[in-house]
Amino acid sequence: MAGGYCNTDATVSPDYRKDSSSKSLEVTKSIGNKTSTASRSQKAKVQSDYSSAVNVYKIYSETMNQLSWLDGHVREGKQLEEALRFCRFVIWSGLIELCKFHATTDAGLKISGANLQTRAKQIQQDVQDRFRTNNSAPAIQLTQLENLN
């Protein structure tokens, strides 16, 4: 090139060394591939978002099941330390924030971070009250026990 510096071997790809008609064809193909790649990546992102919402729903559901199980044991005065430890984990681990973030997903899954937080804090409070009062007696009413028999 006159008046300029050009190092074609180091910077130009072999596709651009062809004649001008093949250059425009190559650019068109390149642009077309980027468009189809973008639509594929958008589909992948939607699938990924749905997949992550399903995973969060599984975590939420199993955590609520565990809290329900522990709540029953706390009412019986059993496994108080385990219940307290698990409630602390739920409250401080970031699970509640994760569930609150995914609560508004359009995946059609019921995820409630507020419900999870309320349940964990209530069980934690029940356990702390039992420890404070040194009460490990079951909190089941006598009529409930009679109904079981």
Side-chain angles (χ1 to χ4, degrees):
M1 272 177 105
Y5 174 78
C6 181
N7 184 356
T8 58
D9 292 333
T11 58
V12 177
S13 68
D15 295 329
Y16 290 107
R17 291 185 187 161
K18 299 176 185 172
D19 63 280
S20 63
S21 63
S22 67
K23 285 183 198 176
S24 63
L25 179 63
E26 195 65 31
V27 170
T28 305
K29 286 182 181 178
S30 173
I31 291 172
N33 286 340
K34 287 182 182 175
T35 304
S36 64
T37 303
S39 63
R40 276 187 249 146
S41 68
Q42 288 172 345
K43 288 179 185 177
K45 184 180 182 315
V46 168
Q47 288 174 345
S48 174
D49 288 348
Y50 180 75
S51 176
S52 65
V54 168
N55 288 334
V56 171
Y57 174 74
K58 288 178 186 177
I59 292 168
Y60 168 77
S61 176
E62 289 303 314
T63 304
M64 289 299 288
N65 288 339
Q66 183 70 13
L67 287 172
S68 295
W69 182 78
L70 287 170
D71 189 29
H73 284 282
V74 168
R75 289 181 186 178
E76 293 175 6
K78 299 178 181 176
Q79 301 192 10
L80 299 177
E81 290 179 15
E82 180 183 349
L84 184 60
R85 198 174 309 124
F86 187 73
C87 289
R88 287 178 178 164
F89 167 76
V90 169
I91 292 168
W92 294 105
S93 67
L95 283 175
I96 294 169
E97 289 78 14
L98 182 68
C99 290
K100 284 181 178 179
F101 178 77
H102 284 280
T104 58
T105 60
D106 295 329
L109 304 171
K110 183 182 176 192
I111 301 171
S112 175
N115 190 20
L116 184 64
Q117 182 176 19
T118 302
R119 188 78 184 258
K121 285 189 174 188
Q122 181 60 47
I123 294 170
Q124 182 183 28
Q125 185 64 44
D126 291 347
V127 171
Q128 289 173 342
D129 289 344
R130 284 183 171 270
F131 281 148
R132 187 174 29 261
T133 61
N134 200 17
N135 180 9
S136 61
I140 299 174
Q141 301 294 332
L142 183 58
T143 56
Q144 290 176 334
L145 286 175
E146 290 173 356
N147 287 337
L148 292 175
N149 292 329

